[in-house]
Amino acid sequence: MARIYDSRNIRWGPNQLASLLMLNNAKFLPGFLLFSLVLINFPTASAQGNIRPFYPLYFTAQPKNAIVASGRSVTLNCTVMSASQPVTLRWLRGQSEVDTSNSNFVHLSNGALRINSVTRTEQGSYHCTAEDTRGKMIISQDAVLSIASLSSNIPSPEDVSVYEGDTARFKCQATGTPRPRISWQKDGSVLDLTMEIIASRFALLPSGALEIRNIRSIDGGSYRCQATNDVTGQTVTSRTASLTVVNGLPDPNREFEFIVNPQDVEARIGRNIVLEAATTEPAAFTWFKDDEEIVLFTGQDHYSIVGQGSLRISDLGEIDTGLYRVRASSGADGSTLTKTVRITAQVPPSFLVKPEDAHANVGNPFTFKCSVYGIPHPDVRWFKNGEEIDTSDTNIFRLVNGQNLQISQLIKEDDGTYQCVASNYVENVKETIEAAAELIVLDEGPATGPVPSKPRQLTASRILAQSVTAKWREPTTKNGEIQSYRIHIQAEGAKRQRIISVPGNRLQWEIDDLVSQTTYNIYTYAVNENGPGERSETLTIETQGVVQVPGSPQNLVALADSATSIYVSWEPPSSTFGDIQNYQLYYADLGTGQATREQEIQVTDTSYTVTGLSPYTRYGFRVEAFNENGPGPSSETIEARTFTDKPTSPPSNVTARPFSASSILLSWNLPPTSQRNGDITGYKVRYRLLENSDRAKTIVVDGILREFILSELERDSEYEIRIGAVNVNGTGPFTDWIPSKTLRDDQNEDNQPPPPAYLEVTSYPTKIQVRWGHPRDTSILVRGYMLGYGIGYPDRKIKELSSTTTDYMISNLQANAQYVIRLRAFNLKGEGFSLYETVYTRQDSSSGTTSPPEVLKTPLELRAVIKSASSALLSWADMEEGCCDGRHYQFMYKANYPANQKWFYVNTTDLTYALNGLQPYTMYEFKVRVVKDEAISGWSMITSNKTYQAAPTSAPKELTIYEVENSTTSLQLNWQPPRQSNGIITGYTIYYSTDATLPIEEWIEIDLEGEDLTTIIPSLTQDTMYHFRIQGHNVKGDSPISGIVSDTTPPVTAIPPDPITGAAAFPWWLWLVIVATIFLLLLLAILIVLCLVCGCCACCASCCPDSDCCGPFGPCCGALARCWTSMCPCCCSDEEECAKCCASLCCGATCCVCFGQQYKEKRKFQPKGKVNANGKIGNELDAPDLLWAKGGQSSDRDMTKSPLATELEPLNPGGGVDQHRGGMHETEFGTGKRHNQDMHMGGVPGYDYATSPRSLHLNQPPYMYSSTTATSGYHSDTNTVSSHEDSTSQMSSVSRPTNPLSSFTVPGPPPHYQGRVKMNAPTYSPLKKTQAGFGTAPRGRGQPLPVVTPRAPDVTVTRGPGGGTSPTSSARTFSAEDLNAEMINLEGLMKDLNAITASELQS
């Protein structure tokens, strides 16, 4: 049931209409402007009386697809706007009207349809219709109503057994409306795939499958999926499937294959899709698009890998359409698998051009333009007043280019509202759009003067079955020149008539395309400059019957075979009336939208492949059969389109101009129609910094755009830009690189924009061409232009234009009317100053006396091909026929940079022009227009190109020299590029010399690559005058050499820092010193280590004569042991007399190093000495080392000395490591040393007690022990080692004190031991070296002297009363007075020793 829709019951007068529109918020603002214009024109329309105004009728809200739960309610919207009220709204389900008397359907007051309870019977496709009081009707788009559902069970996922490291996959094939949401559970717990630890190996794919890669043993368990319908909340759970992880290694011979193959995908743009791919074993996956590898990198979000190897594409775009190939390479043996699939990005239909309201005269052809884009290609249908138009009758209605509606000849009945309805299927859902326009068919206007009388004697001759020839004679009264004749022909009973316009100089015309055996009525009239004349009498004719010719061929089929060929086949006619002699195949290019000449091919068979066609072009085919009587009727005409191909031409008229400090405006035209080879779905724009030409960025622009702003660019930087067209088959060729440069400063909107530079208007009968220039002040941003116009005063209608537009054609105007044009620029601050022009439209030919002025079409496809560094070849296309009718072409050109360059004009009559005298490597802009008499076309789009490079014609400028801080041997040079570089400077050459008179060939040259404008000249001579010159280079040659610039290097002041790094520079000799020092330190460290090793060896040999302690160090330890023994005394004693005890050495004897406090105190009183050749500290009294040992080892210690003497004796005074501790050097003048000397020298032959110790020299070689010690009172064994004869002569005589506690300065006899002393000779090994100072002869003195090693006296031990033990020998004791006296005597001795040392050093 229909509902009368009259919003607020308002009568639609002018005031009420405006009031209603103001109440409908901002979304009806465009409608408000439109209605305001209509209301303003109401009086004018009434006054004219011959032009009816448009009454808009369109939808403001339309029904949309909906999915609802069963039993729930849903509302489908349908709101209409009309100036003719009331409007009747009807709802239809399919083709049947919805019965709103049913309580389940409620037609709301706002036009919407509410369904209270949706069941399966209410599902379907709904649309609404709106009809106004004039009978104008429109229909809405279709909306599909569906009930939400979910499958009751899910096909069970299968159990899986895999090895560790493999990939496992579980399927979940749940279905429903809408598509259910899938989740997975493991062992009864939900897998949270948002957790990073899980998402790293688990992936939920769009198909619902769960993929687990790099399987681990912990992944084993049970898995099941759950499907949820988000509309109803219903859930379904699958049965459980188990995952078993097999231990061990997989079979090396198992087959490497896909466990899931990628599948073709068709998805809506903006979706996220996944091409699923996984293999039975670990593999490396590589994806390719159109045979180009897809590079994946961190931070990229468009392409990514999901799961093992599936490719995820985010935000699917048209550019993603194409063939994708995956290559999986096995990690085990390197074998590969490949699979190719296709992705199709589906695009809902959208209007590129909508039909517009129009007036047209009776008898004229008319075309409604409707351009729709979508993937798949939308199906376009046309409706008139709600009824679909049958376009199969090409004599009346015809689809041009598959979308535009062409009406061959208008009649009054063609008046009405036309709708272009386009639809396609996206993801199996029908998407529909519609746009409506009104056509008002006007009668020919009344005559403005005398018109011709009726033509005479209208007759018909040669009446055939499908044609007739009409003849007539001129009117008796012409009243001027006959411009044309109009023939009206109409079949009896037909609603439409054909109107044929015949040139005024023709008096006959063949009318074809008639139907045989049909009666037609024909009349004609003449037209002069004042209008149509009187009608002739009506002539009635009947076409003949069909002769015996073949019938039309049957079942004509045309199929595209490639991008350049179509296969056509048919069947013979059902009635041939004889033998078929041949067939005539006719085809024509329908892609141009204009009538084209048919091509004919004579064929003897019933099929033929037509070749040499253009890619992605619609062709029409028909076939006629011939017998002996001639051709029969033609078959029906069918259409076929060749396959698409990549574009073979780049976009035309590409220009790039600065838009701001960080953006460049790029504009272009479509490639030529014949070279698009398919619908252009987008454009690839590549741009790069001129200084970094290796790194170009690419962006994709929507195919409906003709301009684009490249943003986020660098300030005041030169860029190169190129663009290529894209269709479903790929990207066509790119244009040449087009340079452009961003502005130095941003345009601002602090003020309103200035006025346009100029305003020009050109009038026509129903049109006005408006042209203008951009404001001269480019510092203020212009966001667009407002063009207002109207009769008598401006802004009756306002057109908002983009900021790049500089011309506009105002159409659908009244002839012979005064229009006021107002143009102003605007930005966010508001509208700027306006320019005004007043212009009269010319008189129409149908109502005036003047012929319509010629409207020249703007030239297209302007190209500028650079031929050299100073010339370019310009070419363009004139799309009008008769291009040699006195017209000429005017083109302008100017340099793109610097700004505000003036234009240069050139006139030519050719379509090409060779332009010379251009500057090398300069970007030029070109534009062209057509001029014929007073008619001027609009300027073409600007095209740009840059001339080639040439060698620089000027030298680098502003060469300056600076001193380098803290450097006297370097100078810094700065310069600027040549003023006329004529290209990109690739490098410079620096010439310098100390003699400016030398020829340039003898100067020193330094070549610098790149565009750097500074360098440092190193290694110059200090305080020297240098002369410099510079030369630039580019790929074409060298520039002139600059003039001489001189400067002097600084004098020497200090060690300069490095001019490059700034660090202090080292002289070469200092580096040698450092290297030598490091080498010596390393050598010293090695020697110290050897000394430690050999010193320990020597100490051990002293303690253990019978053992081979030194081992392999034996040959070298003799000499190296001296350094050890000179540093630290090594002694063998009990722990009570040493403060610290080291670890036990090789033979078990405790080797104690004396660090104790008593030892340090004792060494304070020892005078310093010099280390002799044996590694001991010596003086004028050089004495042998004194060793004692525990047990039965040798000892020279006086067992009868006083405790003080024993306490002060040095421990091995020639071989320890403590000689320098405490700041004192050990010397043989110590008390203990003297006592040892007294003890040992008593029995030595040649010992002179009268000889003073002070007579000895410090370099005197040490004496050796003799076997004659028995005379001194010692009791020892008689083990004697023979010695050299000269050994005794080398001993020095030493005085001895007479008493151990008497003065140290008075020699005396050796002490007498009461105990029995037994002397044992040591075991001597000829392979060992004895310690220095103990039985070894001086270096270079021949064989060593005989040595008798004394042993400690034997002590008889007796057991005491308590069971203890005590020595039987009596020990000697001393009183406190003796000790004090001895200390006083010792102090005096130390003073004497210090005096002796000082005197010896002074001498």
Side-chain angles (χ1 to χ4, degrees), residues 829-844:
K829 279 290 184 179
E831 298 178 1
F833 185 78
S834 300
L835 296 182
Y836 293 86
E837 284 288 344
T838 301
V839 62
Y840 281 88
T841 54
R842 298 183 184 180
Q843 194 171 18
D844 194 356

Side-chain angles (χ1 to χ4, degrees), residues 658-934:
F659 191 73
S660 70
S662 61
S663 60
I664 292 175
L665 176 62
L666 184 67
S667 59
W668 63 89
N669 282 342
L670 283 166
T673 304
S674 60
Q675 297 177 343
R676 297 173 194 170
N677 302 336
D679 293 333
I680 300 300
T681 60
Y683 298 90
K684 280 187 178 179
V685 178
R686 292 179 180 171
Y687 63 97
R688 64 188 184 187
L689 272 169
L690 189 60
E691 62 185 17
N692 189 12
S693 59
D694 294 336
R695 298 178 61 87
K697 297 181 179 179
T698 302
I699 58 175
V700 179
V701 179
D702 195 283
I704 66 174
L705 299 179
R706 296 295 177 269
E707 61 182 31
F708 184 77
I709 296 177
L710 292 174
S711 58
E712 299 182 2
L713 305 181
E714 295 183 11
R715 180 186 301 271
D716 194 24
S717 299
E718 190 166 356
Y719 284 83
E720 289 184 326
I721 306 167
R722 65 193 309 184
I723 183 173
V726 179
N727 63 15
V728 294
N729 292 91
T731 305
F734 282 83
T735 61
D736 295 332
W737 288 104
I738 300 172
S740 185
K741 189 175 183 180
T742 53
L743 299 176
R744 183 182 300 274
D745 298 309
D746 272 322
Q747 295 177 314
N748 65 80
E749 292 184 88
D750 298 335
N751 299 298
Q752 297 172 350
Y758 62 88
L759 175 62
E760 297 177 354
V761 295
T762 303
S763 66
Y764 305 101
T766 59
K767 299 179 181 179
I768 296 177
Q769 179 76 42
V770 184
R771 303 184 184 93
W772 63 91
H774 296 297
R776 293 185 173 88
D777 184 0
T778 59
S779 63
I780 299 178
L781 178 64
V782 174
R783 293 190 175 272
Y785 296 94
M786 301 295 291
L787 176 64
Y789 58 95
I791 297 177
Y793 62 91
D795 293 351
R796 288 181 179 268
K797 294 184 178 181
I798 299 176
K799 187 73 174 181
E800 182 177 325
L801 305 172
S802 68
S803 61
T804 60
T805 305
T806 56
D807 65 271
Y808 183 76
M809 178 68 76
I810 306 174
S811 57
N812 295 327
L813 303 179
Q814 295 183 27
N816 197 25
Q818 183 189 48
Y819 282 87
V820 179
I821 310 297
R822 178 191 179 193
L823 178 70
R824 64 276 194 192
F826 70 89
N827 58 18
L828 295 181
K829 279 290 184 179
E831 298 178 1
F833 185 78
S834 300
L835 296 182
Y836 293 86
E837 284 288 344
T838 301
V839 62
Y840 281 88
T841 54
R842 298 183 184 180
Q843 194 171 18
D844 194 356
S845 61
S846 62
S847 58
T849 59
T850 60
S851 60
E854 185 173 7
V855 179
L856 301 179
K857 293 184 178 180
T858 301
L860 300 177
E861 301 179 13
L862 174 62
R863 296 176 181 270
V865 180
I866 301 301
K867 293 298 184 181
S868 68
S870 60
S871 64
L873 178 62
L874 302 179
S875 63
W876 54 91
D878 191 337
M879 306 308 294
E880 293 184 311
E881 297 180 357
C883 60
C884 302
D885 53 354
R887 69 182 60 202
H888 70 274
Y889 305 93
Q890 182 182 74
F891 70 85
M892 302 168 60
Y893 70 96
K894 72 169 184 176
N896 185 281
Y897 183 83
N900 300 324
Q901 291 288 304
K902 68 176 182 178
W903 289 92
F904 295 89
Y905 292 82
V906 177
N907 295 318
T908 180
T909 57
D910 296 329
L911 295 175
T912 59
Y913 188 84
L915 183 63
N916 298 309
L918 305 179
Q919 293 295 324
Y921 201 64
T922 302
M923 172 62 66
Y924 283 89
E925 294 181 353
F926 307 87
K927 58 183 179 179
V928 65
R929 66 183 178 182
V930 183
V931 178
K932 180 182 177 183
D933 299 328
E934 296 180 358

Side-chain angles (χ1 to χ4, degrees), residues 215 219 258 509 533 546 615 699 738 797 867 1166 1173 1196 1294 1314:
I215 287 291
D219 297 329
F258 283 113
W509 194 260
V546 179
I699 58 175
I738 300 172
K797 294 184 178 181
K867 293 298 184 181
Q1166 296 176 355
D1196 291 340
V1294 181
Q1314 295 181 0

